[in-house]
């Protein structure tokens, strides 16, 4: 069995003006300063109001925490020099996508041309977690098994209830926007690594896509690294919640590898059924539970997480992530960022304050809470 499961975390942030709390474009000097501080770990994103960070590969959650904390602190410090503040949320509570402009780089110009009007609505941010799997055949084998848990990860991460100033009724509106793109959603089931390469290679050979970075499934083999990359999650306002979700990705991967070493595997369910749980997570977050297909019942998220923590206890202990996983049980019981945003919104409305601005202030505070 593979002994190390390296971890890499990517996050996308929005930049807001500290006075108006509206979205603001990142000054070129801000990007230059961040890139000088962390060469190769900070980059512009598709829209000019976005900025992306990525950790180095880490064996432990402790070192990943230190890296991500430095990155968040750097972005916050540099943004403050321009009266800006970062927020780690998947949708701005009241900004209008029509007012935003994409970053003028060849890569993003090409993306805008390829996707047309769909690209203009991409005022969304996510987080991606890479877990190192050296053997390509093992990556292909794990993908359909890990897919079962994608709705759980989405439910625990939801942070985008608002869009253009309106409550969408969803906990993750980001996914609604993202699903308009081609080559998104749950990954197909591949019987082997060769089948994955043959299938994706057909689009590359035809010139439809330049490489597999233009495949944006909820879970995919990374094009650049020997990892499986989970992409379904909303970005987290709180640093510690990001780390807990990353730890869950890592522990699930180790658990499935542990089963494989004993000639066992997680049951493979039809994508139609997993898709129903994906929708439940997108709509309700942790509020209404997910379907346990083995038990043929809908279970509250707190109960599901309790069961999952029991299954992952050996892996969490080996990885040193018991406290990070325990925090997810609290999220399942108390709610996600979407829950907190709605609470702040309601309290502000009741007091006569501007609800949208109150939510943005709340998000700024949460970004800095763990730094």
């Amino acid at each position: 069995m593979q002994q190390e499961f390296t971890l890499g975390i990517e996050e996308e942030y929005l930049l807001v003006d500290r006075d108006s709390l509206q979205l603001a474009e990142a000054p070129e000097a801000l990007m230059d300063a961040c890139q000088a501080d962390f060469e190769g770990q900070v980059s512009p994103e598709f829209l000019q109001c976005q900025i992306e960070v990525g950790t180095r590969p880490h064996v432990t959650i402790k070192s990943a925490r230190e890296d991500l904390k430095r990155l968040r602190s750097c972005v916050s410090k540099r943004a403050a020099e321009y009266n800006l503040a970062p927020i780690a949320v998947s949708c701005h509570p009241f900004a209008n996508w029509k007012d935003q402009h994409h970053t003028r780089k060849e890569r993003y110009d090409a993306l805008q041309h390829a996707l047309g009007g769909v690209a203009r609505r991409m005022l969304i941010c996510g987080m991606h977690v890479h877990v190192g799997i050296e053997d390509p055949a093992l990556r292909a084998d794990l993908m359909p098994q890990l897919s079962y848990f994608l709705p759980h990860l989405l439910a625990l991460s939801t942070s985008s209830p608002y869009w253009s100033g309106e409550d969408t009724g969803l906990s993750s509106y980001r996914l609604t926007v993202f699903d308009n793109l081609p080559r998104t959603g749950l990954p197909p089931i591949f019987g082997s690594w060769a089948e994955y390469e043959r299938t994706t290679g057909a689009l590359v050979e035809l010139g439809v896509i330049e490489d597999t970075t233009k495949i944006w499934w909820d879970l995919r083999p990374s094009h650049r690294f020997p990892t499986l990359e989970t992409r379904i999650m909303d970005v987290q306002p709180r640093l510690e919640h990001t780390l807990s979700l990353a730890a869950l990705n890592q522990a699930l991967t180790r658990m499935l590898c542990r089963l494989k070493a004993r000639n066992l595997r997680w049951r493979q369910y039809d994508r139609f059924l997993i898709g129903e749980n994906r929708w439940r997570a997108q709509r309700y977050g942790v509020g209404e539970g997910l379907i346990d297909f083995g038990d043929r019942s809908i279970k509250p998220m707190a109960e599901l997480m309790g069961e999952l923590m029991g299954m992952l206890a050996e892996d969490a202990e080996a990885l040193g992530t018991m406290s990070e996983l325990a925090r997810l049980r609290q999220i399942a019981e108390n709610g996600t960022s979407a829950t907190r945003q709605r609470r702040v919104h309601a309290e502000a409305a009741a007091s006569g304050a501007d609800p949208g601005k109150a939510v943005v202030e709340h998000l700024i505070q949460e970004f800095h809470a763990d730094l």
Side-chain angles (χ1 to χ4, degrees), residues 28-45 51-52 56 74-75 78 105:
E28 190 172 339
L30 165 61
M31 292 304 311
D32 291 343
C34 288
Q35 290 170 332
D37 290 339
F38 288 93
E39 184 178 354
Q41 288 188 263
V42 182
S43 60
E45 248 299 326
I51 188 168
E52 180 179 15
R56 306 289 188 196
C74 166
V75 172
R78 293 300 186 182
K105 291 177 63 175

Side-chain angles (χ1 to χ4, degrees), residues 152-163:
H152 300 67
L153 291 163
L154 174 61
L156 291 163
S157 73
T158 50
S159 74
S160 49
Y162 297 104
W163 181 254

Side-chain angles (χ1 to χ4, degrees), residues 51-66:
I51 188 168
E52 180 179 15
V53 303
T55 70
R56 306 289 188 196
H58 295 278
V59 175
T60 68
I61 202 73
K62 180 180 178 181
S63 59
R65 173 181 285 106
E66 293 168 356

Side-chain angles (χ1 to χ4, degrees), residues 104 122 130 164 168 197 220 228 253 286-287 297 317 328:
R104 297 314 302 265
M122 292 293 289
H130 293 257
S164 296
T168 65
E197 289 194 310
R220 70 179 184 184
L228 280 178
T253 305
V286 297
S297 65
E317 185 174 356
L328 294 175

Side-chain angles (χ1 to χ4, degrees), residues 17 31 33 37-38 48 64 71 82 92 106 120 128 141 150 189 220-221 229 236 241 253 264 280 285 287 315 349 368:
D17 179 86
M31 292 304 311
D37 290 339
F38 288 93
Q48 292 178 2
L71 286 165
Y82 298 89
H92 188 281
E106 183 178 348
R120 287 202 61 208
H128 308 154
D141 186 47
L150 292 172
I189 296 173
R220 70 179 184 184
E229 179 188 5
Q236 299 302 287
H241 293 171
T253 305
L264 299 171
R280 291 184 66 83
D315 308 286
H368 296 91

